[in-house]
């Protein structure tokens, strides 16, 4: 007998554990399991082990709405975030529902049974289960390998090349010259973290990034917590941060020139007098065209100011025995080269979807409100915001999923499927111009250019539409539960 579950969640990262919490709370009697490819909880926050690994958003918004973040630090280190996810899983008994080492490879929908058949690999065998509802929380990138451009002369280099996604436990960089290639969130985290022990750390970037400093501790949150307790202070601080971040984002969208000047002014104040801010900290794009980088307590700027770290803006010609030769002709000495050059994106954990015998080409699907897929029944996925904390969206998607499952029950429906009308134009689901995102966009679903297919990028607006908006809009189609169907098969009921 094939095991049957009401809900199958794919991925035991921040999103998957949150999803399991919502399902368990809303439907205590339903059966569910979390299939996890790795042998650990935490996803990103377990995988990345590089020095200084931390969030680059505040934990009041990266934390779950239902579980207050109580540490004093709002910009938290990786191990604390991992502990938070593990504690959430343990508190709800979710950890007992996780099936580790179960990478899901295939998901096959059959309308005649109104079920998904899921195949996962485990111990060299294929494990098969069926489920009513499939909830994909598999993140957005390939776990096995990060993005590492090929540089000429790699074989000539006498030192060590490491990627932040596969940090070697035995790497000792004490007293060594380190070059970190990249200018994104990982690079700006690594540079000050490694500067303490290394002889010198150079951040080698092709293109500068906007970098803002924020106190690692939120004095307001910490003071308020003492007065009104964890839960109330968490809710208030969460909204304060949502509104602050939305305001900054909107200002950057509407007044890019003013915001460019404003950020430049802040950066000049952070750096030693005479520092060439325009070469190293003036990106050619507008703020928030790519993710803005946050550094806690000015740590990157302090490392540069002390001389322990520096920034070089140039292009790599090749690696040499002793370092990196740049196109300008300069050579950077290096014992260790860290390629903080990004991720390899992967949609839905590489799972092959089939609906009623037809394989699904994910790149040509349209996403409904950035969480369901056109033509794919009883399915939802979590991809968080790119302009705000991931979990803000993840929580809302789970709330919507619970609303939808309740709606199905109340109307005796067994199946829902959003169906796009012809002629809706597709826009990128990940609305970002970073190179590693652009390279993979074709493999991701598209977002539509009009509602309900448009991707919401505003938490307050999404909160209204996902928590309170109509479930049975024009795009959504429902089918009665199998037991209630006519004998001649499925009966599609447009809303
Ligand atoms: C270094 C780093 C720092 C970040 N910092 C922030 C931040 O500060 N703020 C922010 O908002 N976002 C940040 N992000 C984005 C971050 O990925 C999300 O915040 C969040 O951790 C994503 O959680 P997730 O559970 O959706 O995905 P993941 O953390 O990627 O977890 C996905 C899980 O699914 C599993 N999985 C994948 N495919 C399959 C499969 N086929 N079968 C079974 N299991 C599968 C994986 O093994 C993994 O455990 C950061 C990302 C990185 C890489």
């Amino acid at each position: 007998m094939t095991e049957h579950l009401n809900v199958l969640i794919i991925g035991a990262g921040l999103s998957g554990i949150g999803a399991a919490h919502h399902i368990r709370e809303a439907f205590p009697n339903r059966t569910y399991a979390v299939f996890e490819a790795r042998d650990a909880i935490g996803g990103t926050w377990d995988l990345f082990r590089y020095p200084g690994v931390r969030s680059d958003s505040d934990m009041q918004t990266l934390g779950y709405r239902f579980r207050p973040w109580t540490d004093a630090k709002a910009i938290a280190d990786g191990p604390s975030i991992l502990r938070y996810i593990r504690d959430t899983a343990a508190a709800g008994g979710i950890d007992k529902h996780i099936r580790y080492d179960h990478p899901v490879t295939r998901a096959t929908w059959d309308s005649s049974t109104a079920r998904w058949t899921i195949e996962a690999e485990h111990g060299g065998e294929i494990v098969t289960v069926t489920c009513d509802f499939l909830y994909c929380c598999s993140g957005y990138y390939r776990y096995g390998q990060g993005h590492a451009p090929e540089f000429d002369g790699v074989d000539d280099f006498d030192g060590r090349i490491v990627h932040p996604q596969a940090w070697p436990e035995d790497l000792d960089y004490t007293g060594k010259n380190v070059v970190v290639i990249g200018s994104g969130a990982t690079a700006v985290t690594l540079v000050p973290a490694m500067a303490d022990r290394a002889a010198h750390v150079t951040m080698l970037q092709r293109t500068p990034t906007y970098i803002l400093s924020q106190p690692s501790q939120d004095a307001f949150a910490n003071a308020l917590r003492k007065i009104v307790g964890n839960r109330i202070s968490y809710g208030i601080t969460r909204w304060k941060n949502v509104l602050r971040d939305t305001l900054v984002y909107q200002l950057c969208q509407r007044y890019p020139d003013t915001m460019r000047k404003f950020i430049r002014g802040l950066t000049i104040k952070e750096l030693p007098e005479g520092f060439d801010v325009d070469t190293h900290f003036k990106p050619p794009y507008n703020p928030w065209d790519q993710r803005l980088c946050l550094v806690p307590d000015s740590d990157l700027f302090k490392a540069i100011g002390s001389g322990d770290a520096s920034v070089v803006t140039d292009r790599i010609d090749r690696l040499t025995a002793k370092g990196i030769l740049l196109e300008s002709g300069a050579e950077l000495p290096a014992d260790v080269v860290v390629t903080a050059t990004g991720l390899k994106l992967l949609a839905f954990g590489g799972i092959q979807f089939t609906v009623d015998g037809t394989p699904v080409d994910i790149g040509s699907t349209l996403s409904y409100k950035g969480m369901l897929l056109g033509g794919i029944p009883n399915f939802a996925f979590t991809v968080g915001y790119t302009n705000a904390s991931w979990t803000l969206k993840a929580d809302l998607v789970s709330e919507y999923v619970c609303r939808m499952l309740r709606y199905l029950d109340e109307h005796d429906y067994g199946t829902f499927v959003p169906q796009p009308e012809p002629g809706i134009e597709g826009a990128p689901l990940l609305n970002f111009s970073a190179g590693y995102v652009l390279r993979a966009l074709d493999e991701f679903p598209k977002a539509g250019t009009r509602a309900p297919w448009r991707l919401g990028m505003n938490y307050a607006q999404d909160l209204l539409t996902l928590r309170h908006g109509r479930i049975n809009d024009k795009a959504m189609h429902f089918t009665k539960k199998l037991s209630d169907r006519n004998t001649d098969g499925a009966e599609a009921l447009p809303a």
Side-chain angles (χ1 to χ4, degrees):
M1 282 277 284
T2 305
E3 181 188 9
H4 182 72
L5 299 156
N6 293 128
V7 178
L8 181 74
I9 296 165
I10 300 174
L14 188 61
S15 306
I17 297 301
H21 169 90
H22 283 276
I23 296 286
R24 197 188 66 88
E25 287 276 298
F27 307 102
N29 296 324
R30 295 208 179 172
T31 53
Y32 76 92
V34 183
F35 273 26
E36 167 53 53
R38 303 173 68 239
D39 61 0
I41 289 183
T44 299
W45 301 104
D46 180 71
L47 178 73
F48 282 84
R49 303 283 175 105
Y50 58 77
V53 58
R54 58 161 171 82
S55 67
D56 64 350
S57 27
D58 60 88
M59 289 308 298
Q60 279 82 12
T61 53
L62 189 60
Y64 304 112
R65 189 171 74 93
F66 57 84
R67 188 178 177 89
W69 176 261
T70 54
D71 285 13
K73 279 203 169 180
I75 306 292
D77 58 84
S80 307
I81 302 173
L82 180 58
R83 206 175 316 121
Y84 173 80
I85 302 173
R86 282 189 185 147
D87 290 350
T88 308
I94 295 163
D95 48 358
K96 297 188 182 64
H97 292 253
I98 301 174
R99 315 236 177 125
Y100 296 102
D101 295 311
H102 274 67
V104 175
T105 51
R106 281 175 189 281
T108 306
W109 171 261
D110 178 4
S111 291
S112 69
T113 56
R115 283 183 174 182
W116 285 100
T117 300
I118 307 300
E119 286 178 27
E121 289 166 5
H122 184 64
E125 309 217 323
I126 301 291
V127 175
T128 304
V129 296
T130 56
C131 65
D132 301 320
F133 179 77
L134 182 60
Y135 195 171
C136 192
C137 299
S138 57
Y140 61 105
Y141 62 87
R142 207 173 278 281
Y143 267 67
Q145 215 184 11
H147 171 65
E150 282 178 19
F151 300 114
D152 287 342
V154 166
D155 294 337
D156 302 336
F157 183 53
D158 285 341
R160 212 157 156 187
I161 302 176
V162 296
H163 195 285
Q165 196 165 323
W167 197 262
E169 270 179 39
D170 66 339
L171 182 72
D172 183 9
Y173 53 89
T174 313
K176 303 225 162 117
N177 281 315
V178 178
V179 175
V180 178
I181 303 172
S183 60
T186 302
V188 304
T189 302
L190 274 163
V191 170
M194 296 182 81
D196 286 353
R197 275 164 53 192
H200 187 81
V201 184
T202 308
M203 182 165 98
L204 171 59
Q205 59 180 10
R206 203 163 48 178
T207 317
T209 305
Y210 290 104
I211 298 174
L212 283 177
S213 175
Q214 189 171 301
S216 61
Q217 298 210 12
D218 184 331
F220 171 84
N222 292 345
L224 194 64
R225 191 181 300 124
K226 288 188 190 132
I227 303 166
V228 295
N230 284 334
R231 194 156 287 278
I232 296 177
S233 71
Y234 184 64
I236 294 173
T237 312
R238 194 173 162 87
W239 268 110
K240 167 185 78 76
N241 295 355
V242 164
L243 295 175
R244 176 200 61 198
D245 295 348
T246 308
L247 178 71
V248 171
Y249 180 76
Q250 290 299 336
L251 288 174
C252 289
Q253 296 289 299
R254 282 168 202 216
Y255 310 105
D257 292 341
T258 310
M259 291 308 281
R260 267 171 177 266
K261 282 189 201 128
F262 178 66
I263 297 173
R264 183 172 180 275
L266 292 178
T267 313
I268 288 172
K269 277 195 203 145
E270 296 277 5
L271 288 160
E273 224 179 297
F275 188 92
D276 187 355
V277 170
D278 289 339
T279 300
H280 303 305
F281 289 100
K282 187 178 162 196
Y285 52 85
N286 286 330
W288 271 120
D289 280 357
Q290 293 194 21
R291 200 174 167 105
L292 220 105
C293 273
L294 204 70
V295 296
D297 305 323
S298 308
D299 63 358
L300 175 73
F301 299 121
K302 283 181 188 158
I304 294 170
S306 69
D308 292 338
S310 53
V311 187
V312 171
T313 307
D314 206 326
R315 286 175 170 263
I316 295 172
D317 180 52
R318 56 180 289 113
L319 268 70
T320 63
K322 297 285 165 226
I324 301 180
L325 181 65
L326 303 171
E327 284 187 2
S328 65
E331 189 167 353
L332 287 178
D335 306 302
V336 176
V337 169
V338 183
T339 50
T341 41
L343 307 161
K344 274 193 178 163
L345 265 55
L346 181 69
F348 306 136
I351 297 163
Q352 172 59 61
F353 291 85
T354 303
V355 172
D356 291 330
T358 308
V360 177
D361 170 18
I362 291 294
S364 57
T365 56
L366 205 60
S367 79
Y368 172 98
K369 296 182 179 172
M371 58 175 187
L372 311 180
L373 285 184
I376 315 275
N378 290 17
F379 173 79
F381 67 91
T382 301
V383 169
Y385 294 119
T386 42
N387 66 345
S389 283
W390 184 275
T391 321
L392 290 173
K393 176 77 182 274
D395 269 341
L396 285 182
V397 175
S398 289
E399 286 185 36
Y400 177 91
V401 164
C402 293
R403 280 185 72 204
M404 174 58 92
L405 295 181
R406 224 174 268 125
Y407 186 88
L408 295 183
D409 277 1
E410 285 163 9
H411 294 80
D412 228 14
Y413 293 144
T415 310
F416 70 89
V417 61
Q419 290 289 10
E421 313 143 34
I424 300 178
E425 280 175 50
L429 179 70
L430 300 166
N431 187 11
F432 240 33
S433 56
Y436 72 89
V437 175
L438 296 179
R439 269 190 294 276
L441 273 183
D442 285 352
E443 294 155 33
F444 278 75
K446 306 284 171 289
T449 45
R450 60 173 194 259
W453 304 93
R454 211 178 9 226
L455 179 69
M457 289 293 274
N458 181 316
Y459 175 69
Q461 260 174 22
D462 272 357
L463 189 139
L464 289 177
T465 52
L466 301 190
R467 196 179 287 168
H468 304 291
R470 276 181 69 181
I471 290 273
N472 59 341
D473 63 22
K474 271 203 319 211
M476 198 63 77
H477 295 251
F478 298 94
T479 308
K480 281 281 180 198
K481 272 193 181 143
L482 270 182
S483 51
D484 298 339
R485 285 186 199 172
N486 297 332
T487 44
D488 54 343
E491 159 201 9
L493 299 177

